[in-house]
Amino acid sequence: MLPNTGKLAGCTIFVTGASRGIGKAIGLKAAKDGANIVIAAKTSKEHPKLPGTIYTAAEEIEAAGGKALPCVVDVRDEQQINSAVEKAVEKFGGIDILVNNASAISLTNTLETPTKRVDLMMNVNTRGTYLTSKACIPYLKKSKIAHILNLSPPLNLNPLWFKQHCAYTIAKYGMSMCVLGMAEEFKGEIAVNALWPKTAIHTAAMNMLGGSGIESQCRKVDIIADAAYSIFKKPKSFTGNFIIDENILREEGIKNFDVYAVKPGHPLLPDFFLDEIPDTIAKKMESHSAIPAFKEEKQQPQPKSHSGAVEETFRIVKESLSDDVVKATQAIFKFELSGEDGGTWFLDLKSKGGNVGYGEPSDQADVVMSMSTDDFVKMFSGKLKPTIAFMSGKLKIKGNLSLAIKLEKLMNQINARL
């Protein structure tokens, strides 16, 4: 891991969404140098599902060797942003670095995304980043360090990244466009860059999104904290870059990335918006009996017995059902399978003992999953990860995404039998 150099001692870093996860990790890394961290986040009281508040984060920052200023900030509220900036300047004398980390996510398609959720993503991601930058820029201009770092992806116009979650992509790319514009606007005065992970990062939010068990496919937040730290050490002339965490750390001489893995050696889930997936990851996944959906597969003759393979899969699923599985899942899944011998199937994990069958479920489905019969069989036999199938567009999901991820647990139980 990247060692601390003490270069950020006495610097003031304003971090949005810093009460937990990536934001807090970036703050803690800088705190070890003796930096001042402004924790600008919404959570002032314990959240029922997510650990940490601005006050518990402040305690950790102070314990790590930094000074902390916890501020209640919803980045949708310009007054709260301005008030926190004023408090930071009053307490620490200025602002040297801004980290726009606060973000909202909903991986839903156009018709499944309520207007309220669209507004949340646009207002937190794009507008929040813009307004927080605007409030900090007058003070950043006076700093010798002067960095803005947005946690946002490279601008990739491959339609793949728009078709499943158009609103989220637009909102996230809004943050990246702030980098594009502001880097040029404040050239020579402020370094403005974006940082994005190569693989999924394990946070409480990822647990909610991907369900338990997802962590083995993730890296720790430390990799983002180390990458951000290496950016902050660079001069103001280092600007307008869309940086991938692993790439910048390789430049720093880091060779062993297993130290960042939650489960070293386990195949990692590639992050959104990155088309270039190295062969090494693809090969690693194949060695764990997973076919990476992001890798183009050679067209092979389709087996004729698809209906038989689907029917056999559901037969084994039915044998695996129990009251415990039903109790733990509480959802009805509908599968719309396309291609030769496609059709509609259901998996009822609400009624006693559970049930499967061909056709429509007796009650309304909580989740509708659309895919080819071939990919369905691969998914249930463990050769295609549902999360990767979803990210690559092979699997379309309507309804409750967290319930869809719960299904992965059941799949893991039956993979050995298929």
Side-chain angles (χ1 to χ4, degrees), residues 10-24:
C11 288
T12 299
I13 307 178
F14 193 103
V15 189
T16 65
S19 59
R20 61 178 73 93
I22 288 168
K24 187 179 81 174

Side-chain angles (χ1 to χ4, degrees), residues 311-351:
E311 202 170 334
E312 177 64 8
T313 300
F314 275 111
R315 186 188 66 75
I316 293 170
V317 169
K318 191 167 186 176
E319 284 177 9
S320 306
L321 298 184
S322 66
D323 285 333
D324 287 343
V325 169
V326 170
K327 196 176 174 184
T329 315
Q330 286 297 294
I332 295 174
F333 301 91
K334 184 165 90 169
F335 299 90
E336 293 177 343
L337 305 180
S338 60
E340 197 179 343
D341 301 319
T344 300
W345 292 76
F346 70 87
L347 172 55
D348 180 350
L349 296 179
K350 264 187 183 171
S351 58

Side-chain angles (χ1 to χ4, degrees), residues 12-59:
T12 299
I13 307 178
F14 193 103
V15 189
T16 65
S19 59
R20 61 178 73 93
I22 288 168
K24 187 179 81 174
I26 291 172
L28 282 169
K29 177 77 179 173
K32 287 173 187 170
D33 271 8
N36 310 316
I37 311 297
V38 184
I39 300 154
K42 280 191 307 180
T43 315
S44 57
K45 291 173 186 167
E46 283 287 341
H47 188 284
K49 291 183 181 173
L50 299 168
T53 67
I54 56 174
Y55 305 111
T56 57
E59 284 169 17

